[in-house]
Amino acid sequence: MASGAVGLVVWGMATPTTLGWVLLVQANTPVADAVIVIRNGGSARHAVAVHATTAALLIATGSVLILR
């Protein structure tokens, strides 16, 4: 919840480029979550479907905001 709150504050108060960088940094969280799921015997399909997809969306959105 804290990382989501940081994103909301930056979204409301900073430039789009800054928000893009924050999103790229926050993409580490779902990547780590996917690794944790897989290393603890969880389904790789679930890890990719949920966590890797979230990371990909954060990276794509952050990249668009930085490069615009």
Side-chain angles (χ1 to χ4, degrees), residues 34-52:
V35 170
I36 290 168
V37 168
I38 293 169
R39 292 201 68 198
N40 286 297
S43 165
R45 177 181 283 185
H46 175 79
V48 170
V50 175
H51 302 294

Side-chain angles (χ1 to χ4, degrees), residues 5-57:
V6 169
L8 287 175
V9 170
V10 172
W11 185 19
M13 302 192 73
T15 66
T17 302
T18 302
L19 177 59
W21 284 111
V22 168
L23 292 176
L24 285 180
V25 170
Q26 286 185 336
N28 288 315
T29 301
V31 169
D33 289 343
V35 170
I36 290 168
V37 168
I38 293 169
R39 292 201 68 198
N40 286 297
S43 165
R45 177 181 283 185
H46 175 79
V48 170
V50 175
H51 302 294
T53 302
T54 301
L57 290 172

